[in-house]
């Protein structure tokens, strides 16, 4: 559960490379592309450009490199040539990458074209909920502090928190201990220690928190067909707080409208 300084250095590199995958996708995820095209582009970039391994491919017999969860899909959406992005869609793309024996895991929401204000708000408040949880991370804090911060932010904004899926420890294996719930009571749960690395990946629904599985055995959707959103980062516990290992580098943004800049305190455009 505790990573050494040397292991964290390797994980930091895996996270840096994974962030580059999302930077590549930023100009590629557009209306008219199928989710199968997205999967092919990610695999080629990871293998050929980054000289790394797409860790989800073959994991638990999963046949793709990424998960593509559109609109009412909560998680584990499978790429398909039939799923073509269209104006107004929201999509979560979840990617894992292994380099040097250690895995990084992250997911990001993309809004396609003219997205309805209610959908935009869901995407933004889910992003904020993830950061509310991340900001609780420090030695001596507890897992319940993370879950409580996420749940409180979600419910204050009128959203429900999916409970069947959670964050997880990560390292040489994609899923390690501990489980990181996105709901809970402050001051409860495992005490955080320097060197722990885990994901924080809340899934918020516009309607009920209830979900159902589709017949493909992977795709999970909202039971009431309401929209769902998710963001995810791999986070390390440091001596005095946290380090987000999968954070994208800021090259350009739109100032106050940039979600990432706003929550990290950046004010330059």
């Amino acid at each position: 559960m505790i990573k050494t300084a040397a292991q964290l250095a390797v994980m930091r590199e895996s996270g840096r490379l994974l962030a580059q995958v999302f930077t590549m996708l930023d100009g590629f995820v557009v209306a008219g592309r199928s989710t199968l095209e997205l999967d092919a582009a990610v695999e080629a970039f990871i293998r050929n450009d980054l000289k790394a391994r797409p860790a989800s491919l073959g994991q638990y017999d999963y046949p793709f490199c990424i998960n593509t969860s559109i609109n009412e899909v909560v998680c584990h959406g499978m790429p398909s040539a039939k799923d073509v992005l269209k104006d107004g869609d929201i999509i979560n793309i979840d990617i894992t990458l292994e380099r040097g024996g250690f895995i990084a895991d992250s997911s990001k929401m993309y809004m396609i074209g003219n997205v309805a204000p209610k959908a935009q708000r869901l995407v933004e408040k889910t992003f904020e909920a993830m950061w509310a949880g991340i900001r609780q991370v420090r030695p001596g804090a507890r897992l319940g502090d993370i879950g409580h911060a996420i749940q409180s932010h979600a419910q204050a904004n009128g959203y429900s928190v999916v409970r069947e899926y959670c964050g997880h420890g990560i390292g040489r294996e994609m899923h390690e201990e501990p489980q990181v719930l996105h709901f809970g009571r402050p001051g409860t749960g495992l005490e955080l220690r320097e060197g722990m690395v885990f994901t924080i990946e809340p899934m918020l629904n516009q309607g009920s928190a209830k979900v159902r599985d589709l017949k493909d055995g992977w795709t999970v959707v909202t039971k009431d067909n309401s929209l769902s959103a998710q963001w995810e980062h791999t986070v390390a516990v440091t001596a005095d707080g946290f380090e987000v290992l999968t954070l994208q580098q800021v090259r350009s943004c739109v100032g106050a409208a940039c979600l990432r800049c706003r929550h990290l305190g950046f004010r330059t455009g």
Side-chain angles (χ1 to χ4, degrees):
M1 190 181 296
I2 303 298
K3 307 300 189 292
T4 66
Q7 290 172 330
L8 277 173
V10 179
M11 294 199 72
R12 190 173 290 114
E13 176 64 6
S14 294
R16 184 185 71 84
L17 293 177
L18 180 51
Q20 289 185 28
V21 181
F22 286 102
T23 300
M24 179 275 291
L25 283 173
D26 286 346
F28 193 79
V29 183
V30 295
R33 292 202 191 278
S34 74
T35 54
L36 193 61
E37 288 180 84
L38 303 182
D39 184 74
V42 168
E43 180 172 9
F45 188 74
I46 291 176
R47 292 191 188 279
N48 302 332
D49 294 71
L50 303 182
K51 309 302 180 186
R53 180 178 69 87
S56 293
L57 182 62
Q59 178 83 4
Y60 310 122
D61 295 324
Y62 186 70
F64 300 101
C65 296
I66 65 177
N67 292 122
T68 50
S69 302
I70 303 173
N71 296 333
E72 75 279 2
V73 179
V74 175
C75 61
H76 304 162
M78 300 180 74
S80 169
K82 296 180 180 179
D83 289 333
V84 178
L85 296 177
K86 63 183 184 300
D87 189 67
D89 282 341
I90 60 173
I91 178 174
N92 176 271
I93 301 179
D94 192 344
I95 311 172
T96 60
L97 178 150
E98 180 267 323
R99 176 75 173 267
F102 286 87
I103 298 171
D105 188 0
S106 184
S107 78
K108 179 176 179 176
M109 293 297 299
Y110 289 88
M111 294 185 283
I112 311 302
N114 297 306
V115 174
K118 286 185 177 181
Q120 292 183 30
R121 184 176 184 272
L122 171 66
V123 170
E124 179 171 346
K125 295 306 177 183
T126 305
F127 181 86
E128 291 176 0
M130 176 190 67
W131 277 103
I134 290 174
R135 291 197 189 95
Q136 301 304 309
V137 176
R138 65 183 67 85
R142 294 187 177 273
L143 286 177
D145 300 334
I146 297 172
H148 177 74
I150 292 170
Q151 181 181 15
S152 296
H153 191 80
Q155 293 179 345
N157 285 283
Y159 301 117
S160 59
V161 180
V162 174
R163 298 196 171 210
E164 284 84 350
Y165 301 94
C166 62
H168 51 86
I170 189 169
R172 292 190 182 277
E173 300 294 332
M174 188 184 303
H175 297 108
E176 300 180 351
E177 292 298 328
Q179 290 190 336
V180 182
L181 303 182
H182 302 121
F183 58 93
R185 293 185 293 112
T188 64
L190 183 71
E191 182 176 338
L192 305 187
R193 295 169 54 195
E194 181 181 359
M196 289 181 178
V197 183
F198 45 78
T199 68
I200 295 176
E201 48 181 298
M203 305 167 200
L204 304 190
N205 295 346
Q206 277 187 338
S208 166
K210 294 181 179 180
V211 301
R212 61 186 178 89
D213 299 334
L214 297 189
K215 293 180 180 180
D216 62 21
W218 286 100
T219 307
V220 180
V221 301
T222 55
K223 195 166 186 179
D224 59 7
N225 293 318
S226 62
L227 293 179
S228 185
Q230 178 189 19
W231 292 81
E232 175 184 11
H233 274 308
T234 296
V235 181
V237 184
T238 63
D240 58 357
F242 64 85
E243 179 182 0
V244 180
L245 302 183
T246 47
L247 201 62
Q248 284 182 260
Q249 294 295 314
V250 173
R251 295 182 181 176
S252 63
C253 69
V254 287
C258 174
L259 289 176
R260 179 179 177 273
C261 288
R262 192 187 322 164
H263 287 277
L264 293 181
F266 297 137
R267 291 292 179 265
T268 56

